[in-house]
Amino acid sequence: LAETRAYAYLTAWAEVTPDPAVRAVLCTVAAREGEHGMSFARRINELGFEVRENDDADVESRMEIARSDRTDLDKIEALGLLRFRSDDKPDVFDTMFRDHSIDIQTGALLGRYIAEERDTLRLLQGCCAHLQRGTEAPASGDRLGVLEDKIDAVTRAVDELRQIVCAQAMPTSSV
């Protein structure tokens, strides 16, 4: 439900932001959130259950913030989009696979979800940095700043992947 609701308010925000770089990030993240909500609902159904709706008192508040004339930086803060930032420390997803009873399909779904959520956080951090620098929206044809942010995000993702591969390649000592 949270993923589907995030799709709604991120899409609403993308429609009103004056910054094309911010709009691009929001459209990417919103599409992911919507797909996550639908994929989870489908998997829950495949397992023989139904998604149970619940009341979320903050739904309208989030939509108001997203549609408001606040700055994009204020919206990032007000919506708490960086609250799961962990930098180099373990994140909220690190313990998700401790349950060894997870079936293959659910595990694959969760693995993709985790990878996309981590990348989404990197995209939002890059967007926040772009806004904090106070850079102007790139003029048509001048997308160097946007490309630099994306290259930084890819570099961080490659470094994270390198660390994972190196850790898995380390021989274990038998005691």
Side-chain angles (χ1 to χ4, degrees), residues 10-17 23 26 67:
L10 292 170
T11 301
W13 178 5
E15 292 171 358
V16 299
T17 183
R23 182 177 302 106
L26 292 173
R67 293 181 181 131

Coordinates of all heavy atoms in Angstrom, one line a residue, residues 10-17 23 26 67:
L10 N 4.3 11.0 -5.7 CA 5.5 11.3 -6.5 C 5.1 11.8 -7.9 O 5.7 12.7 -8.5 CB 6.4 10.2 -6.5 CG 7.1 9.8 -5.2 CD1 7.9 8.5 -5.3 CD2 8.0 11.0 -4.7
T11 N 4.0 11.1 -8.5 CA 3.5 11.5 -9.8 C 2.9 12.9 -9.7 O 3.2 13.7 -10.6 CB 2.5 10.5 -10.3 OG1 3.1 9.2 -10.4 CG2 1.9 10.9 -11.6
A12 N 2.2 13.2 -8.7 CA 1.6 14.5 -8.5 C 2.7 15.6 -8.4 O 2.6 16.7 -9.0 CB 0.7 14.6 -7.3
W13 N 3.7 15.3 -7.7 CA 4.9 16.2 -7.5 C 5.6 16.4 -8.8 O 5.9 17.6 -9.2 CB 5.8 15.7 -6.4 CG 7.0 16.4 -6.2 CD1 7.4 17.7 -6.7 CD2 8.1 16.0 -5.3 NE1 8.7 18.0 -6.2 CE2 9.1 17.0 -5.3 CE3 8.3 14.9 -4.5 CZ2 10.2 16.9 -4.6 CZ3 9.4 14.8 -3.7 CH2 10.4 15.8 -3.8
A14 N 5.8 15.4 -9.6 CA 6.5 15.5 -10.9 C 5.7 16.4 -11.8 O 6.3 17.1 -12.6 CB 6.6 14.1 -11.5
E15 N 4.4 16.4 -11.7 CA 3.6 17.3 -12.6 C 3.7 18.7 -12.3 O 3.4 19.6 -13.1 CB 2.1 16.9 -12.4 CG 1.8 15.5 -13.0 CD 0.4 15.0 -12.7 OE1 -0.4 15.7 -12.0 OE2 0.1 13.9 -13.1
V16 N 4.2 19.1 -11.1 CA 4.2 20.5 -10.7 C 5.7 21.1 -10.5 O 5.8 22.3 -10.4 CB 3.4 20.8 -9.4 CG1 1.9 20.5 -9.7 CG2 3.9 20.1 -8.2
T17 N 6.7 20.2 -10.5 CA 8.0 20.7 -10.3 C 8.5 21.5 -11.5 O 8.2 21.1 -12.6 CB 9.0 19.6 -10.0 OG1 10.3 20.2 -9.7 CG2 9.2 18.6 -11.1
R23 N 12.1 16.4 -12.1 CA 11.0 15.7 -12.7 C 11.4 14.3 -13.2 O 10.7 13.3 -13.1 CB 10.4 16.5 -13.9 CG 9.2 15.8 -14.5 CD 8.5 16.7 -15.7 NE 8.1 17.9 -15.2 CZ 8.7 19.1 -15.4 NH1 9.7 19.1 -16.2 NH2 8.2 20.2 -14.9
L26 N 11.8 12.0 -10.3 CA 10.5 11.7 -9.7 C 9.7 10.7 -10.6 O 9.1 9.8 -10.1 CB 9.7 12.9 -9.5 CG 10.2 13.9 -8.4 CD1 9.4 15.2 -8.4 CD2 10.2 13.2 -7.0
R67 N 1.6 18.5 -4.2 CA 1.0 19.5 -5.1 C 1.2 20.9 -4.7 O 0.9 21.8 -5.5 CB -0.5 19.3 -5.1 CG -1.0 17.9 -5.7 CD -2.5 17.8 -5.7 NE -2.9 16.6 -6.3 CZ -3.8 15.8 -5.7 NH1 -4.4 16.1 -4.5 NH2 -4.2 14.6 -6.3

